[in-house]
Coordinates of all heavy atoms in Angstrom, one line a residue:
S915 N -7.0 -20.5 11.5 CA -7.4 -21.7 10.7 C -7.9 -22.8 11.7 O -8.8 -23.5 11.3 CB -6.2 -22.2 9.9 OG -5.1 -22.4 10.7
G916 N -7.3 -22.9 12.8 CA -7.8 -23.9 13.8 C -9.2 -23.6 14.3 O -10.0 -24.6 14.4
A917 N -9.5 -22.4 14.6 CA -10.9 -22.0 15.0 C -11.9 -22.3 13.9 O -13.0 -22.9 14.1 CB -11.0 -20.6 15.4
I918 N -11.5 -22.0 12.7 CA -12.4 -22.3 11.5 C -12.6 -23.8 11.4 O -13.7 -24.2 11.2 CB -11.8 -21.6 10.2 CG1 -11.8 -20.1 10.3 CG2 -12.6 -22.1 9.0 CD1 -10.9 -19.4 9.3
A919 N -11.5 -24.5 11.4 CA -11.5 -25.9 11.2 C -12.4 -26.6 12.3 O -13.2 -27.5 12.0 CB -10.1 -26.5 11.3
A920 N -12.3 -26.1 13.5 CA -13.1 -26.7 14.6 C -14.6 -26.6 14.3 O -15.4 -27.5 14.5 CB -12.7 -26.1 16.0
V921 N -15.0 -25.4 13.9 CA -16.5 -25.2 13.6 C -16.9 -26.0 12.4 O -17.9 -26.7 12.5 CB -16.7 -23.7 13.4 CG1 -18.2 -23.4 12.9 CG2 -16.5 -22.9 14.6
I922 N -16.1 -26.0 11.4 CA -16.5 -26.7 10.1 C -16.5 -28.2 10.3 O -17.4 -28.9 9.9 CB -15.6 -26.3 9.0 CG1 -15.7 -24.8 8.7 CG2 -15.8 -27.1 7.7 CD1 -17.1 -24.3 8.3
Q923 N -15.5 -28.7 11.1 CA -15.5 -30.1 11.4 C -16.7 -30.5 12.2 O -17.3 -31.6 11.9 CB -14.2 -30.5 12.2 CG -13.0 -30.4 11.3 CD -11.7 -30.6 12.1 OE1 -11.6 -30.1 13.2 NE2 -10.8 -31.3 11.5
A924 N -17.1 -29.7 13.2 CA -18.3 -30.0 14.0 C -19.6 -29.9 13.2 O -20.5 -30.8 13.3 CB -18.4 -29.1 15.2
E925 N -19.7 -28.9 12.3 CA -20.9 -28.7 11.5 C -21.1 -29.6 10.3 O -22.2 -30.0 9.9 CB -21.1 -27.3 11.1 CG -21.3 -26.4 12.3 CD -21.5 -24.9 11.9 OE1 -21.6 -24.6 10.7 OE2 -21.5 -24.1 12.9
F926 N -19.9 -29.9 9.6 CA -20.0 -30.6 8.4 C -19.3 -32.0 8.4 O -19.4 -32.7 7.4 CB -19.4 -29.8 7.2 CG -20.2 -28.6 6.9 CD1 -19.9 -27.3 7.5 CD2 -21.2 -28.6 6.0 CE1 -20.6 -26.2 7.2 CE2 -21.9 -27.4 5.7 CZ -21.6 -26.2 6.3
G927 N -18.6 -32.3 9.5 CA -17.9 -33.6 9.5 C -16.7 -33.7 8.6 O -16.4 -34.8 8.1
I928 N -16.1 -32.6 8.2 CA -15.0 -32.5 7.3 C -13.7 -32.6 8.0 O -13.5 -31.9 9.1 CB -15.1 -31.3 6.4 CG1 -16.4 -31.3 5.5 CG2 -13.9 -31.1 5.5 CD1 -16.6 -30.0 4.8
S929 N -12.7 -33.3 7.5 CA -11.4 -33.4 8.1 C -10.7 -32.1 8.0 O -11.0 -31.2 7.2 CB -10.6 -34.5 7.4 OG -10.3 -34.1 6.1
Q930 N -9.6 -31.9 8.9 CA -8.8 -30.7 8.8 C -8.2 -30.4 7.5 O -8.3 -29.3 7.0 CB -7.7 -30.8 9.9 CG -7.0 -29.5 10.1 CD -5.9 -29.3 9.1 OE1 -5.3 -30.2 8.7 NE2 -5.6 -28.0 8.7
P931 N -7.7 -31.5 6.8 CA -7.2 -31.2 5.4 C -8.3 -30.8 4.5 O -8.0 -30.0 3.6 CB -6.6 -32.6 5.0 CG -6.2 -33.3 6.3 CD -7.3 -32.8 7.3
G932 N -9.5 -31.3 4.7 CA -10.6 -30.8 3.8 C -10.9 -29.4 4.0 O -11.2 -28.6 3.1
V933 N -10.9 -28.9 5.3 CA -11.1 -27.5 5.6 C -10.0 -26.7 5.0 O -10.3 -25.6 4.4 CB -11.2 -27.3 7.1 CG1 -11.3 -25.8 7.5 CG2 -12.4 -28.1 7.7
S934 N -8.8 -27.1 5.1 CA -7.7 -26.4 4.5 C -7.8 -26.2 3.0 O -7.5 -25.2 2.5 CB -6.3 -27.1 4.8 OG -6.0 -27.1 6.2
Q935 N -8.4 -27.2 2.4 CA -8.6 -27.1 0.9 C -9.7 -26.0 0.6 O -9.5 -25.2 -0.3 CB -9.1 -28.5 0.4 CG -9.4 -28.5 -1.1 CD -8.2 -28.3 -2.0 OE1 -7.1 -28.6 -1.5 NE2 -8.4 -28.0 -3.2
H936 N -10.7 -26.0 1.4 CA -11.7 -24.9 1.2 C -11.1 -23.5 1.5 O -11.4 -22.6 0.8 CB -12.9 -25.2 2.2 CG -13.8 -26.3 1.7 ND1 -14.6 -26.2 0.6 CD2 -14.1 -27.5 2.3 CE1 -15.3 -27.3 0.5 NE2 -15.0 -28.1 1.5
L937 N -10.3 -23.4 2.5 CA -9.6 -22.2 2.8 C -8.7 -21.8 1.6 O -8.7 -20.6 1.2 CB -8.8 -22.2 4.1 CG -9.6 -22.3 5.3 CD1 -8.7 -22.7 6.5 CD2 -10.3 -21.0 5.6
R938 N -8.0 -22.7 1.0 CA -7.2 -22.4 -0.1 C -8.0 -21.9 -1.3 O -7.6 -20.9 -2.0 CB -6.4 -23.7 -0.6 CG -5.4 -23.4 -1.7 CD -4.7 -24.7 -2.1 NE -5.5 -25.7 -2.7 CZ -6.0 -25.7 -4.0 NH1 -5.8 -24.6 -4.8 NH2 -6.8 -26.6 -4.4
V939 N -9.2 -22.5 -1.6 CA -10.0 -22.1 -2.7 C -10.5 -20.6 -2.4 O -10.5 -19.8 -3.3 CB -11.2 -23.0 -2.8 CG1 -12.3 -22.5 -3.8 CG2 -10.8 -24.4 -3.3
L940 N -10.9 -20.3 -1.1 CA -11.3 -19.0 -0.8 C -10.2 -18.0 -1.0 O -10.4 -16.9 -1.5 CB -11.8 -18.9 0.6 CG -13.2 -19.6 0.9 CD1 -13.5 -19.8 2.3 CD2 -14.3 -18.9 0.1
R941 N -9.0 -18.4 -0.6 CA -7.8 -17.5 -0.9 C -7.6 -17.3 -2.3 O -7.4 -16.1 -2.8 CB -6.5 -18.1 -0.2 CG -6.3 -17.8 1.2 CD -4.9 -18.2 1.7 NE -4.2 -19.2 0.9 CZ -4.3 -20.5 1.2 NH1 -5.0 -21.0 2.3 NH2 -3.6 -21.4 0.5
E942 N -7.5 -18.3 -3.1 CA -7.2 -18.2 -4.5 C -8.3 -17.5 -5.3 O -8.0 -16.9 -6.3 CB -7.0 -19.6 -5.1 CG -5.7 -20.3 -4.6 CD -5.5 -21.7 -5.1 OE1 -6.4 -22.2 -5.8 OE2 -4.4 -22.2 -4.8
S943 N -9.5 -17.5 -4.8 CA -10.6 -16.8 -5.5 C -10.6 -15.4 -5.1 O -11.4 -14.6 -5.7 CB -11.9 -17.5 -5.2 OG -12.3 -17.3 -3.9
G944 N -9.8 -15.0 -4.1 CA -9.8 -13.6 -3.7 C -10.9 -13.2 -2.7 O -11.1 -12.1 -2.3
L945 N -11.6 -14.2 -2.1 CA -12.6 -14.0 -1.1 C -12.1 -13.9 0.3 O -12.7 -13.4 1.2 CB -13.7 -15.0 -1.2 CG -14.6 -14.9 -2.4 CD1 -15.5 -16.2 -2.6 CD2 -15.5 -13.7 -2.3
A946 N -10.9 -14.5 0.5 CA -10.3 -14.4 1.8 C -8.8 -14.1 1.7 O -8.2 -14.4 0.7 CB -10.5 -15.8 2.5
T947 N -8.3 -13.6 2.8 CA -6.8 -13.3 2.9 C -6.3 -14.1 4.1 O -7.1 -14.5 4.9 CB -6.5 -11.8 3.1 OG1 -7.1 -11.4 4.3 CG2 -7.1 -11.0 2.0
V948 N -5.0 -14.3 4.1 CA -4.4 -15.0 5.2 C -3.1 -14.3 5.5 O -2.4 -13.7 4.7 CB -4.1 -16.5 4.9 CG1 -3.1 -16.6 3.7 CG2 -3.6 -17.2 6.1
R949 N -2.8 -14.2 6.8 CA -1.5 -13.7 7.3 C -1.0 -14.5 8.4 O -1.8 -15.2 9.1 CB -1.7 -12.2 7.7 CG -2.5 -12.0 9.0 CD -2.6 -10.5 9.3 NE -3.3 -10.3 10.5 CZ -2.8 -10.3 11.7 NH1 -1.5 -10.4 11.9 NH2 -3.6 -10.1 12.8
A950 N 0.3 -14.6 8.6 CA 0.9 -15.4 9.6 C 1.0 -14.5 10.9 O 1.4 -13.3 10.8 CB 2.3 -15.8 9.2
R951 N 0.8 -15.2 12.0 CA 1.1 -14.6 13.3 C 1.7 -15.7 14.2 O 1.0 -16.5 14.7 CB -0.2 -14.0 14.0 CG 0.1 -13.3 15.3 CD -1.1 -12.7 15.9 NE -1.9 -13.7 16.5 CZ -3.1 -13.6 16.9 NH1 -3.7 -12.4 16.9 NH2 -3.8 -14.6 17.4
G952 N 3.0 -15.7 14.2 CA 3.7 -16.8 14.8 C 3.4 -18.1 14.1 O 3.5 -18.2 12.9
A953 N 3.0 -19.1 14.9 CA 2.7 -20.4 14.3 C 1.2 -20.4 13.7 O 0.8 -21.4 13.1 CB 2.8 -21.5 15.3
H954 N 0.5 -19.4 13.9 CA -0.9 -19.4 13.5 C -1.1 -18.7 12.1 O -0.4 -17.8 11.8 CB -1.8 -18.6 14.5 CG -1.8 -19.3 15.9 ND1 -2.5 -20.4 16.2 CD2 -1.1 -18.9 17.0 CE1 -2.2 -20.8 17.4 NE2 -1.4 -19.9 18.0
R955 N -2.2 -19.1 11.4 CA -2.6 -18.4 10.2 C -3.9 -17.8 10.5 O -4.9 -18.5 10.9 CB -2.7 -19.5 9.0 CG -1.4 -20.2 8.7 CD -0.4 -19.2 8.1 NE 0.9 -19.8 7.9 CZ 1.9 -19.6 8.7 NH1 1.8 -18.8 9.8 NH2 3.1 -20.1 8.5
L956 N -4.0 -16.5 10.2 CA -5.2 -15.8 10.5 C -5.9 -15.4 9.1 O -5.3 -14.9 8.2 CB -4.9 -14.5 11.2 CG -4.4 -14.7 12.6 CD1 -3.8 -13.4 13.1 CD2 -5.5 -15.2 13.5
Y957 N -7.2 -15.8 9.0 CA -7.9 -15.6 7.8 C -8.9 -14.5 8.0 O -9.4 -14.3 9.1 CB -8.7 -16.9 7.4 CG -7.8 -17.9 6.8 CD1 -7.1 -18.8 7.7 CD2 -7.7 -18.0 5.5 CE1 -6.2 -19.7 7.1 CE2 -6.8 -19.0 4.9 CZ -6.1 -19.8 5.8 OH -5.2 -20.7 5.2
A958 N -9.2 -13.7 6.9 CA -10.1 -12.6 7.0 C -10.8 -12.5 5.6 O -10.3 -13.0 4.6 CB -9.4 -11.3 7.3
V959 N -12.0 -11.9 5.6 CA -12.7 -11.6 4.3 C -11.9 -10.6 3.5 O -11.4 -9.6 4.1 CB -14.1 -11.1 4.6 CG1 -14.7 -10.6 3.3 CG2 -14.9 -12.1 5.3
D960 N -11.8 -10.8 2.2 CA -11.2 -9.8 1.3 C -12.3 -9.0 0.8 O -13.1 -9.4 -0.1 CB -10.4 -10.5 0.2 CG -9.6 -9.5 -0.6 OD1 -10.0 -8.3 -0.7 OD2 -8.6 -9.9 -1.2
S961 N -12.5 -7.8 1.3 CA -13.6 -6.9 0.9 C -13.6 -6.5 -0.6 O -14.6 -6.2 -1.1 CB -13.7 -5.7 1.8 OG -12.5 -4.9 1.7
A962 N -12.4 -6.5 -1.2 CA -12.4 -6.0 -2.6 C -13.2 -6.9 -3.5 O -13.9 -6.5 -4.4 CB -10.9 -6.0 -3.1
T963 N -13.0 -8.2 -3.3 CA -13.8 -9.2 -4.2 C -15.3 -9.1 -3.9 O -16.1 -9.2 -4.8 CB -13.3 -10.6 -3.9 OG1 -11.9 -10.6 -4.3 CG2 -14.0 -11.6 -4.8
L964 N -15.6 -8.9 -2.6 CA -17.1 -8.8 -2.3 C -17.6 -7.5 -2.9 O -18.8 -7.5 -3.3 CB -17.3 -8.8 -0.8 CG -17.0 -10.1 -0.1 CD1 -17.2 -10.0 1.4 CD2 -17.9 -11.2 -0.6
R965 N -16.9 -6.4 -3.0 CA -17.3 -5.2 -3.6 C -17.6 -5.5 -5.1 O -18.5 -5.0 -5.7 CB -16.3 -4.1 -3.4 CG -16.5 -3.4 -2.1 CD -15.7 -2.1 -2.0 NE -14.3 -2.2 -2.2 CZ -13.4 -2.6 -1.2 NH1 -13.8 -2.8 0.0 NH2 -12.1 -2.7 -1.5
E966 N -16.7 -6.3 -5.8 CA -16.9 -6.6 -7.2 C -18.2 -7.4 -7.3 O -18.9 -7.2 -8.3 CB -15.7 -7.5 -7.7 CG -14.4 -6.7 -7.8 CD -13.2 -7.6 -8.1 OE1 -13.5 -8.7 -8.6 OE2 -12.1 -7.2 -7.9
I967 N -18.5 -8.3 -6.4 CA -19.7 -9.1 -6.5 C -20.9 -8.1 -6.3 O -21.9 -8.2 -7.1 CB -19.8 -10.2 -5.4 CG1 -18.7 -11.2 -5.7 CG2 -21.2 -10.8 -5.3 CD1 -18.5 -12.2 -4.6
D968 N -20.8 -7.2 -5.4 CA -21.9 -6.3 -5.2 C -22.1 -5.4 -6.4 O -23.3 -5.1 -6.8 CB -21.6 -5.4 -3.9 CG -22.7 -4.5 -3.6 OD1 -23.8 -5.0 -3.3 OD2 -22.5 -3.3 -3.5
T969 N -21.1 -5.0 -7.0 CA -21.2 -4.2 -8.2 C -21.9 -5.0 -9.3 O -22.8 -4.5 -10.0 CB -19.8 -3.7 -8.7 OG1 -19.2 -2.9 -7.7 CG2 -19.9 -2.9 -10.0
W970 N -21.5 -6.2 -9.5 CA -22.2 -7.1 -10.5 C -23.6 -7.3 -10.2 O -24.5 -7.2 -11.1 CB -21.5 -8.4 -10.6 CG -22.0 -9.3 -11.7 CD1 -21.6 -9.3 -13.0 CD2 -23.0 -10.3 -11.6 NE1 -22.3 -10.2 -13.7 CE2 -23.1 -10.8 -12.9 CE3 -23.8 -10.8 -10.5 CZ2 -24.1 -11.9 -13.1 CZ3 -24.7 -11.8 -10.8 CH2 -24.8 -12.3 -12.1
L971 N -24.0 -7.4 -8.9 CA -25.4 -7.6 -8.5 C -26.2 -6.4 -8.6 O -27.5 -6.5 -8.7 CB -25.4 -8.1 -7.1 CG -25.0 -9.6 -6.8 CD1 -24.9 -9.8 -5.3 CD2 -26.0 -10.5 -7.5
E972 N -25.6 -5.2 -8.7 CA -26.3 -4.0 -8.8 C -27.4 -3.9 -9.9 O -28.5 -3.5 -9.6 CB -25.3 -2.8 -9.0 CG -26.0 -1.4 -8.9 CD -26.7 -1.1 -7.6 OE1 -26.2 -1.5 -6.6 OE2 -27.8 -0.5 -7.7
R973 N -27.1 -4.5 -11.0 CA -28.1 -4.4 -12.1 C -29.3 -5.3 -11.8 O -30.3 -5.2 -12.5 CB -27.4 -4.7 -13.5 CG -27.0 -6.1 -13.6 CD -26.4 -6.3 -15.0 NE -25.6 -7.5 -15.0 CZ -24.9 -7.9 -16.0 NH1 -24.9 -7.2 -17.1 NH2 -24.2 -9.0 -16.0

Side-chain angles (χ1 to χ4, degrees):
S915 57
I918 295 166
V921 172
I922 298 302
Q923 287 172 322
E925 293 181 8
F926 292 92
I928 295 174
S929 68
Q930 188 280 327
V933 175
S934 293
Q935 179 68 19
H936 285 290
L937 288 168
R938 183 181 66 76
V939 170
L940 289 169
R941 275 192 333 269
E942 290 177 354
S943 68
L945 288 167
T947 62
V948 63
R949 69 180 180 90
R951 185 177 71 191
H954 299 284
R955 298 292 172 260
L956 295 164
Y957 285 83
V959 170
D960 186 335
S961 61
T963 301
L964 291 177
R965 281 193 298 275
E966 290 174 19
I967 294 169
D968 186 55
T969 299
W970 185 86
L971 285 171
E972 184 60 39
R973 67 179 164 182

